[in-house]
Amino acid sequence: MDLSTLKSNVRGVTSEVLKTCRDRGYDVDEFVAAVFALRCEIQGKWKSKGVSLSETMDPTDISAVAETAAACLMAASSTTIANVKMQVTMEKAFQEQKQLIENEHKEKGDILDSLARGICATKDTIGDSKYTEFHQKNYTNIVLGIWLYNEYKGVARTPAAPSVTRYIQQAQNLLHDAQEQRTRLQNTIESLERAHRRVFSLGDQENASRLQDSLVYMACATMYCEKLEDETLQAMELVRALKHDMDDLLSTVHEIVGKNATVPKDDVYPIFDKLGRTHRAVADEQRLLVAKTRLQDALAHFVAADMVALQVEEDVKSIPGAEFLVECDGPDIPEDTEAAEAIQGTIRISKDDLDQTAFAFNGFCPVSFVRRQGVPISHNPDVGFVKFQDKVYSFFEPVALHIFASNPRAYIEGVKALAMEEPLLLQPLGLSSSSPLFDVARTIHLLKEPLQCCSGTQTPTHFVETYIDKEYEWNVWALRRRALSLADLRGKATHSCQTNLSHFKRESQVQVWKPKQASTQTHSNKAQTMPKNLRYIAGLRGAPDVKMSVVSLELDIGQTHQY
């Protein structure tokens, strides 16, 4: 498969699908449109036309394929569209977080490499070529290892090592949230499965199809939830192992250095380098934990948004139906199952004898999937398992185990055929390798660059002048009808009022009283002065026994009351 040809066809078909949907008033995301086009390719919607997205296509073929894909997209159920949006969102979020971490590493690496080259060049002037060759690649890790050792001894000013205890606590919180979410999903899946069993046994195709879409949606959501759980558990084990390695390296360095003032750098530099690398690995896991938390939030948003819509109605719950495997079209069951098992080479395994946890089809029951025409149902570990061709298969109920053990190949091929009819189940069933064309992550990468769409517009020969009133009405009777409609006389009431010019105003007289005449007296002018304060010194002359004193006088002369 030529990747450049696939990219060109997918981008061209996606552009045409977007144009067709928007012309018909249907707004859709470009990534969702591309995934639906690939879904139609796997389902063989245009196989009869002799075209394929993996082969060269002309513009006419692209337009025809896009028309078919747009029709399938607009006719799809809301649950199927939500399933595609969830897969696109999860894959996009994972790629964005991965790209962000790579950009951070590149930026930090460029800065540290520039600093290392500058320091190594300074040392090279001294003539220590061995120092330059060794530190050109390992300088940053060595410095980081020395910093960690100083922190280990308690002489570092700022902590260098990330808190592993804090990381484990955050990872456990994330794991707990994921497990609670998976439990809620399992409860909803059980309700949906029971309802589907009832309506399927009664031949209610409409409700059965709706519930099947819901079960497929929940299977995909459960897949992402379990994937987050597994990755979080693996990351916790890795961080614990890295922490143990860091402690061993610090102890080794401490034994070498001890109280010595100098030690050979060839003895400690490799250890410091490994210590720095281990520390950076722990820091990367912390950054990935943040990305996983965001993925968990995105998944919780999708599950919470559609949990109400996927609840089983009371009328569906009340429908009586079968409590065991529903018989429908499927491979024939041999009369002598024991002889068939011996011929096929299947081996039954009990729950206690099972020595592995990886199951074929990711733990979905192949018999229920085939006999219910593509409904994913998780296994029941108490039923038992069957080993066939080095793979372990699990089942929902005992009768399914007996049927599969007698004819495994037919059901394996049946699962693969039904999964091709609904490619959204390829990844939950672990069959992505069966159809490498349907890859959501690669589809997102193909649409990384902006899309281009060929379109045209029509213009009139003579433009309409702006001063022309298009709403002008020349008919007088039409104007009168419009006036009556605007007046709405039937909803009006008659009121009367009096004004200054009204003929019905009241005659009345008003008497005006003139103001009372009064006289006033002429005022008199008066003045006022402030008293004068005078001080005299007495006793400057006279007999020898006369003492000097200060005499203060206040002269209140010229006041108004004196006249």
Side-chain angles (χ1 to χ4, degrees), residues 151-199:
E151 182 185 6
Y152 175 77
K153 294 195 303 181
V155 296
R157 296 183 178 179
T158 56
S163 177
V164 177
T165 304
R166 180 181 178 185
Y167 172 87
I168 296 298
Q169 182 179 2
Q170 293 176 349
Q172 288 177 348
N173 293 336
L174 175 61
L175 186 62
H176 179 265
D177 294 340
Q179 290 174 348
E180 285 189 347
Q181 183 168 276
R182 183 164 60 86
T183 302
R184 293 194 297 268
L185 289 171
Q186 291 296 337
N187 294 334
T188 305
I189 289 173
E190 291 178 1
S191 300
L192 292 171
E193 191 276 327
R194 288 193 297 267
H196 183 271
R197 181 186 291 269
R198 295 186 179 99
V199 299

Side-chain angles (χ1 to χ4, degrees), residues 316-500:
V316 176
K317 287 183 179 181
S318 61
I319 297 175
E323 295 297 334
F324 299 99
L325 184 66
V326 179
E327 295 294 337
C328 65
D329 293 336
D332 296 332
I333 302 176
E335 296 181 358
D336 190 354
T337 56
E338 295 183 358
E341 289 183 24
I343 295 173
Q344 296 293 338
T346 55
I347 302 175
R348 299 193 181 194
I349 303 175
S350 63
K351 179 181 177 181
D352 299 332
D353 297 335
L354 186 67
D355 57 353
Q356 66 183 54
T357 58
F359 304 112
F361 303 130
N362 285 339
F364 289 103
C365 178
V367 178
S368 300
F369 188 83
V370 172
R371 290 188 169 265
R372 290 212 205 172
Q373 300 177 1
V375 176
I377 301 177
S378 298
H379 71 280
N380 183 3
D382 297 331
V383 173
F385 308 91
V386 171
K387 187 174 183 180
F388 178 70
Q389 294 182 349
D390 298 331
K391 292 183 179 180
V392 178
Y393 297 87
S394 52
F395 307 94
F396 175 68
E397 48 198 359
V399 63
L401 186 147
H402 296 303
I403 294 174
F404 180 85
S406 60
N407 193 6
R409 290 183 175 85
Y411 284 95
I412 293 174
E413 296 299 327
V415 170
K416 293 180 179 180
L418 288 172
M420 297 299 285
E421 295 180 5
E422 180 50 82
L424 296 177
L425 281 171
L426 289 173
Q427 191 172 1
L429 290 172
L431 297 175
S432 300
S433 58
S434 300
S435 179
L437 184 63
F438 190 81
D439 189 343
V440 178
R442 184 180 59 190
T443 305
I444 295 173
H445 181 72
L446 295 178
L447 299 180
K448 187 176 181 180
E449 301 175 357
L451 292 175
Q452 296 179 355
C453 182
C454 297
S455 61
T457 57
Q458 294 182 351
T459 57
T461 305
H462 301 286
F463 289 92
V464 179
E465 300 293 343
T466 57
Y467 60 81
I468 297 178
D469 186 5
K470 296 182 179 180
E471 298 181 356
Y472 174 75
E473 181 59 61
W474 59 272
N475 194 320
V476 177
W477 293 103
L479 292 174
R480 290 181 180 181
R481 285 193 296 269
R482 184 184 300 176
L484 290 174
S485 177
L486 293 175
D488 191 16
L489 295 179
R490 293 183 179 182
K492 300 295 187 296
T494 303
H495 300 277
S496 63
C497 61
Q498 294 183 1
T499 63
N500 292 333

Side-chain angles (χ1 to χ4, degrees), residues 216-275:
V216 172
Y217 181 91
M218 286 300 176
C220 294
T222 305
M223 173 196 67
Y224 284 114
C225 191
E226 293 176 349
K227 185 177 180 181
L228 281 174
E229 288 185 36
D230 296 339
E231 291 182 355
T232 304
L233 287 173
Q234 294 176 3
M236 291 172 62
E237 296 298 328
L238 177 61
V239 169
R240 289 193 180 98
L242 292 174
K243 175 62 177 174
H244 184 266
D245 294 341
M246 290 177 62
D247 294 339
D248 292 343
L249 292 172
L250 289 171
S251 301
T252 303
V253 172
H254 187 67
E255 293 177 359
I256 295 175
V257 175
K259 297 183 180 180
N260 299 326
T262 59
V263 293
K265 56 187 178 183
D266 293 338
D267 296 341
V268 294
Y269 275 9
I271 302 177
F272 284 143
D273 175 66
K274 187 175 181 180
L275 187 60

